[in-house]
Amino acid sequence: MAAATAPPPAAVAATLSALIRCQKFRRSSPRAIYARCVSSNASAEAAEPAESRKGGHGGMRLEEAVPVGEGRSRIDAWISARLGGGGVSRARVQASIRAGLVAVNGRPVSKVSHTVKGGDLVSCTVSELQPLRAEAEDIPLDIVYEDDHVLVVNKPAHMVVHPAPGNANGTLVNAILHHCKISTFTCLARSSTGDECLDSSDDDIDVFNVDQFATEDASSEVRNALVRPGIVHRLDKGTSGLLVVAKDEHSHAQLAEQFKLHTIRRVYISLTCGVPNPNSGRIEASIARDPNNRIRMIAIAGSGHRYARHAASRYKVREVFVGGGSALVEWRLETGRTHQIRAHAKYIGIPLLGDETYGGTKSMALSLLRPRTPSKYHSDLSNLISKVDRPCLHAALLGFKHPHSGKILEFSCPPPDDFSEVLDELRKVTSSDAQNGDGVV
């Protein structure tokens, strides 16, 4: 298991402390970006020779009966569990179902959520890869690590991960296509209704919301592209930080399995409105779409909600500012639901600073900070908070087992300037209060 060789918690805490306190890199120029990222085993290359990545598996067949006595399962999950070891991603299975290439007891099924039970006979023919309409764009990437199989990038805030209606260009996928020297993305697509794909989560794989070309419309160069990058997990548009990209289908399937088993190591840091009580804990509250606001999710106690999905997060307060007006909070995810940290933070009454969707408004932040802050700091603090235009959330640490070499890779990056400037100001005010005996740290 990946956790067996991962750094101990104390080492991780020390790494994060160094990142969020490091001053000399925070104002670095774009050319110094690579140097300010810290990695463990970052020079490790895949030990195995590069395999052929010509998009095989198309036409592969599975015909198998669900063992008698086995409980009900989603058909996409059941097939994926049997083909995943061969490098077929769950998204590829889902595309095969939608294409009418899967049948249960001789009857074609079209819904990926169709359930199968013990005794059912399942037959599946794996669909061919379909190239997408996403085009390469020359957009700078902050590359933390790269080899023949994986790419780790530090995503800036405000960049959408994948093309979607309203965000057809300027996405991380467009930038990756240019970096990998291919003109069209040759991975599987699924439909969506929004730029952050609220119908899916980090646990759903291959989420690229763009139309597909028919195979005959694509050039032979595109059809035979050797590199097919795939986003294995996502970050919200406003969230900055580390994200891993698979460069071939085998790596994609292996990384997807690590996410499914929750062996991927992910640590986020955030600034909150208020301080959680207690200062560390575990939140277990299912997440579903807010029926009153389609672009928002809600955390729900218990499991009675029909469409809610299990979600669990662990948090720990790293610093408290200006007598409890704000805090630097570390988050570790056990699951990867859409907006999980943002919804869980709201659930326990500490919305993320700058998260207008979940209650962390500028007015709320100032209502908590100004009464606890000496008047001489009010103007600077107000000006700084007024510039916050996204949730103060940063994916600071990412660790996983290399899909080919099996080595444990771990990477970390400090928060960007907009996050750091607010953090620095809160520390300055807190330090001044402490010296005057007025604050609590």
Side-chain angles (χ1 to χ4, degrees):
M1 300 292 288
T5 54
V12 175
T15 299
L16 287 172
S17 295
L19 285 173
I20 59 183
R21 287 192 173 278
C22 182
Q23 298 291 333
K24 64 180 180 179
F25 293 133
R26 286 185 184 158
R27 307 294 182 258
S28 58
S29 66
R31 300 182 66 85
I33 283 177
Y34 183 89
R36 67 182 174 84
C37 295
V38 183
S39 66
S40 169
N41 289 330
S43 62
E45 295 290 339
E48 301 176 11
E51 298 177 356
S52 172
R53 296 184 291 277
K54 296 182 179 180
H57 310 303
M60 179 187 293
R61 286 189 54 80
L62 168 74
E63 188 159 340
E64 186 176 331
V66 179
V68 175
E70 186 170 304
R72 291 179 174 269
S73 303
R74 280 176 54 128
I75 191 167
D76 60 339
W78 191 86
I79 295 174
S80 180
R82 280 144 187 80
L83 297 181
V88 179
S89 67
R90 184 163 172 174
R92 188 87 169 265
V93 172
Q94 291 175 339
S96 305
I97 295 169
R98 294 188 180 99
L101 299 177
V102 174
V104 177
N105 300 325
R107 291 184 151 190
V109 298
S110 59
K111 291 186 176 181
V112 299
S113 59
H114 180 89
T115 58
V116 293
K117 61 184 183 303
D120 285 343
L121 178 63
V122 178
S123 59
C124 169
T125 301
V126 178
S127 66
E128 298 288 345
L129 280 175
Q130 299 294 310
L132 304 178
R133 290 187 189 275
E135 296 183 356
E137 295 181 54
D138 188 2
I139 302 170
L141 283 173
D142 182 354
I143 297 174
V144 179
Y145 173 79
E146 182 176 20
D147 62 25
D148 289 340
H149 306 288
V150 297
L151 176 69
V152 178
V153 299
N154 181 25
K155 185 187 87 69
H158 307 298
M159 175 180 270
V160 175
V161 171
H162 49 74
N167 288 288
N169 306 105
T171 73
L172 182 64
V173 166
N174 297 116
I176 291 170
L177 289 178
H178 181 270
H179 176 76
C180 292
K181 309 299 182 188
I182 56 178
S183 58
T184 305
F185 208 10
T186 53
C187 201
L188 300 175
R190 52 189 291 176
S191 62
S192 177
T193 56
D195 66 347
E196 293 187 63
C197 192
L198 289 181
D199 290 320
S200 63
S201 73
D202 284 352
D203 290 347
D204 296 318
I205 310 305
D206 258 339
V207 185
F208 299 109
N209 310 317
V210 289
D211 296 331
Q212 298 183 37
F213 286 123
T215 305
E216 58 268 19
D217 293 336
S219 68
S220 59
E221 175 189 0
V222 171
R223 286 199 303 269
N224 296 325
L226 295 180
V227 180
R228 291 180 170 85
I231 305 295
V232 187
H233 62 127
R234 299 174 298 107
L235 297 175
D236 291 341
K237 177 182 177 180
T239 304
S240 58
L242 296 168
L243 185 144
V244 61
V245 179
K247 295 173 71 173
D248 58 74
E249 194 168 5
H250 172 79
S251 297
H252 193 282
Q254 293 297 316
L255 288 170
E257 184 68 10
Q258 292 182 51
F259 272 94
K260 179 181 177 182
L261 297 175
H262 308 304
T263 57
I264 297 285
R265 194 176 185 85
R266 291 179 288 173
V267 180
Y268 296 72
I269 56 174
S270 71
L271 292 174
T272 61
C273 296
V275 181
N277 183 22
N279 64 5
S280 65
R282 181 176 184 269
I283 306 167
E284 187 168 5
S286 299
I287 290 178
R289 187 187 302 279
D290 187 337
N292 300 315
N293 187 338
R294 181 170 174 76
I295 68 171
R296 188 170 63 200
M297 309 300 285
I298 53 173
I300 304 168
S303 56
H305 194 286
R306 180 179 177 185
Y307 299 107
R309 303 180 69 185
H310 170 73
S313 309
R314 294 183 182 273
Y315 71 89
K316 182 178 181 180
V317 175
R318 299 294 302 277
E319 293 182 61
V320 175
F321 305 115
V322 291
S326 181
L328 178 67
V329 180
E330 172 188 310
W331 300 85
R332 296 170 187 262
L333 299 183
E334 294 183 17
T335 56
R337 306 306 181 200
T338 301
H339 298 183
Q340 178 171 320
I341 291 175
R342 298 166 65 188
H344 275 176
K346 177 179 174 63
Y347 178 74
I348 62 173
I350 52 155
L352 306 188
L353 195 156
D355 194 348
E356 301 280 335
T357 301
Y358 288 90
T361 63
K362 298 177 180 65
S363 59
M364 179 181 183
L366 290 174
S367 70
L368 292 170
L369 293 170
R370 286 173 66 92
R372 298 172 168 87
T373 306
S375 58
K376 65 179 180 179
Y377 291 110
H378 285 183
S379 178
D380 288 345
L381 194 60
S382 296
N383 289 337
L384 199 57
I385 296 297
S386 69
K387 295 177 184 177
V388 176
D389 58 357
R390 56 111 174 179
C392 287
L393 180 63
H394 175 71
L397 187 146
L398 175 68
F400 56 89
K401 183 168 70 173
H402 193 284
H404 285 262
S405 71
K407 293 183 178 179
I408 301 299
L409 303 182
E410 192 161 277
F411 308 93
S412 54
C413 265
D417 286 350
D418 65 335
F419 188 117
S420 298
E421 287 171 1
V422 178
L423 179 60
D424 289 346
E425 184 68 18
L426 291 172
R427 282 179 174 149
K428 181 175 73 173
V429 175
T430 303
S431 176
S432 174
D433 284 353
Q435 291 173 9
N436 294 330
D438 298 327
V440 178
V441 182

